Amino acid sequence: MVKFARKAIILSLAAILPAVSLSVQAIESKHRHAKKQVVHKKSAKIAANSKVVKRYVVVNGKRKLVTEHVALAPVVAEKPSVGDTAGLKHADPLSLQSNVAFVVDQTSSKVLFEKNSDVSLPIASITKLMTSLVVVEAHQDLNEQIEVTTEDIDKEKGTGSRLKIGAKLTRADMLHIALMSSENRAASALGRSYPGGLSAFVAAMNAKARQLGMSDTHYVDSSGLSSQNRASARDLVKLVNAAYQHPVIREYSTDSKYVVNPGGRPLEYGTSNKLVANPAWEIGLQKTGYIAEAGRCLVMQAMIEGRAIVMVFLDSKGKYSRLADAGRIKKWLESNKPQA
């Protein structure tokens, strides 16, 4: 009996083992497949959030090519601008990325292209163009030394500056880096050192705007950090034309590099507009600007096909989009030669 029972058990096991083996194989196969999927997803995630960098390393005295995944900086979406909120974003024939565009023949004052040109929007550091105009037309001593104080610290946006408290520069140097590099503390110091202080300076800015017929314009500071500094594109063409009359503003705004010595180590500043150094462009005056409420802004005077052109771009999306929009306008003018 025991012998027959043992034989029956052996036969039963023999019948079961293949099925068990198949089940184990199926489980292992499923596990391997799942593992591959995890690796694939992980690789896809790495590819999406990194870039592949190949470099040589020395191992045991021999050069070896290795591949690495270098993490990319996270993409931060820009906050909706005032123009976005107002519903200004719409397509145009040139597919511009700016919500506002205005292009004028400077000689005849005739409009060549426009898009939302009458809307008053925040203009960010385009404000500094009016700041420079008030300083120059007030005939203030450009060689006078101005000291940066705690009053020049940005309490609006919390931005920093390379000019430390106690730094001293001539008014000319302050004007130079405010126009060329959009240095906020320099622009603040220019307004604060005006006779009567910053409040008197802002009053002079608004008075000049009225004199120029800039009816959609209002200023509250000399730097443009406040979103309450507003103007329409049509108004800004008037400002560009007025500023263009002063050689010092043309020179400073279109310089590409400049070194100042505020005490201690010299500081080299660069232009905030890369088109200035582009040989394909002949720029006579320019100013850039950016705060979240305004988007990316740009005003320029440039010679295109032998014509003096003033162009204004407000509320552009993307770091280089305003420059690309200027390029689109330039190409359009060169190709179509629209009549004024």
Side-chain angles (χ1 to χ4, degrees):
M1 290 290 291
V2 173
K3 184 177 181 181
F4 284 116
R6 187 180 298 166
K7 187 175 182 180
I9 291 170
I10 291 172
L11 289 172
S12 298
L13 289 173
I16 294 171
L17 283 174
V20 172
S21 177
L22 287 173
S23 297
V24 170
Q25 289 177 359
I27 292 170
E28 289 179 344
S29 176
K30 188 175 181 181
H31 177 69
R32 285 196 299 270
H33 180 67
K35 190 174 181 180
K36 284 181 180 179
Q37 285 186 320
V38 170
V39 171
H40 177 71
K41 289 179 179 178
K42 188 175 181 181
S43 299
K45 187 175 181 181
I46 290 174
N49 297 307
S50 66
K51 64 178 179 179
V52 176
V53 176
K54 293 184 178 181
R55 64 186 181 90
Y56 284 96
V57 297
V58 178
V59 180
N60 296 327
K62 295 182 179 180
R63 293 179 73 207
K64 181 180 178 182
L65 182 64
V66 296
T67 301
E68 297 178 328
H69 288 276
V70 179
L72 296 173
V75 177
V76 180
E78 293 185 353
K79 296 179 180 179
S81 64
V82 172
D84 290 333
T85 305
L88 297 183
K89 187 173 181 60
H90 59 78
D92 61 74
L94 299 184
S95 300
L96 302 181
Q97 296 301 304
S98 302
N99 280 343
V100 172
F102 196 48
V103 183
V104 176
D105 184 300
Q106 189 179 29
T107 303
S108 66
S109 299
K110 297 298 183 180
V111 177
L112 303 176
F113 185 94
E114 65 177 313
K115 176 183 177 182
N116 298 322
S117 60
D118 293 319
V119 183
S120 184
L121 294 173
I123 57 173
S125 286
I126 305 299
T127 297
K128 294 182 178 71
L129 205 52
M130 179 60 85
T131 298
S132 67
L133 189 59
V134 171
V135 169
V136 171
E137 293 194 346
H139 301 293
Q140 291 185 272
D141 183 4
L142 294 182
N143 294 316
E144 181 185 353
Q145 289 274 325
I146 303 174
E147 182 176 353
V148 176
T149 72
T150 54
E151 293 181 63
D152 302 315
I153 295 174
D154 172 21
K155 300 178 181 66
E156 181 76 31
K157 303 294 183 186
T159 59
S161 170
R162 298 174 69 191
L163 293 180
K164 297 180 179 179
I165 305 306
K168 293 181 179 180
L169 290 175
T170 64
R171 181 173 280 106
D173 281 351
M174 292 285 194
L175 186 62
H176 201 139
I177 59 178
L179 281 170
M180 184 188 75
S181 294
S182 223
E183 170 58 68
N184 289 317
R185 286 186 184 174
S188 174
L190 288 170
R192 180 178 47 76
S193 61
Y194 187 79
L198 183 59
S199 60
F201 187 83
V202 171
M205 293 172 73
N206 286 308
K208 185 63 182 180
R210 289 192 298 272
Q211 181 189 338
L212 293 175
M214 298 171 66
S215 56
D216 299 316
T217 298
H218 181 67
Y219 298 104
V220 299
D221 66 33
S222 57
S223 64
L225 287 166
S226 171
S227 60
Q228 294 182 58
N229 291 285
R230 296 190 174 215
S232 66
R234 284 182 179 272
D235 279 2
L236 291 176
V237 167
K238 297 172 183 177
L239 175 58
V240 169
N241 286 333
Y244 188 79
Q245 303 306 311
H246 299 279
V248 67
I249 298 179
R250 297 201 304 268
E251 177 190 347
Y252 289 176
S253 72
T254 57
D255 203 359
S256 58
K257 289 182 180 179
Y258 188 66
V259 177
V260 297
N261 194 341
R265 190 169 57 182
L267 299 175
E268 182 179 77
Y269 283 84
T271 179
S272 58
N273 183 353
K274 295 185 182 299
L275 295 182
V276 166
N278 187 330
W281 283 87
E282 186 181 345
I283 300 172
L285 180 146
Q286 69 80 37
K287 187 69 196 78
T288 62
Y290 171 75
I291 56 174
E293 297 90 339
R296 311 279 173 175
C297 304
L298 171 67
V299 298
M300 286 201 311
Q301 187 276 359
M303 295 299 296
I304 301 175
E305 290 290 296
R307 299 168 69 180
I309 302 294
V310 176
M311 54 184 76
V312 176
F313 303 100
L314 301 180
D315 195 12
S316 189
K317 302 299 182 290
K319 188 174 181 180
Y320 301 109
S321 57
R322 56 192 166 182
L323 306 185
D325 281 353
R328 292 184 184 96
I329 290 292
K330 182 175 183 290
K331 185 176 181 180
W332 175 71
L333 290 171
E334 291 170 340
S335 301
N336 295 276
K337 299 179 175 59
Q339 295 301 310

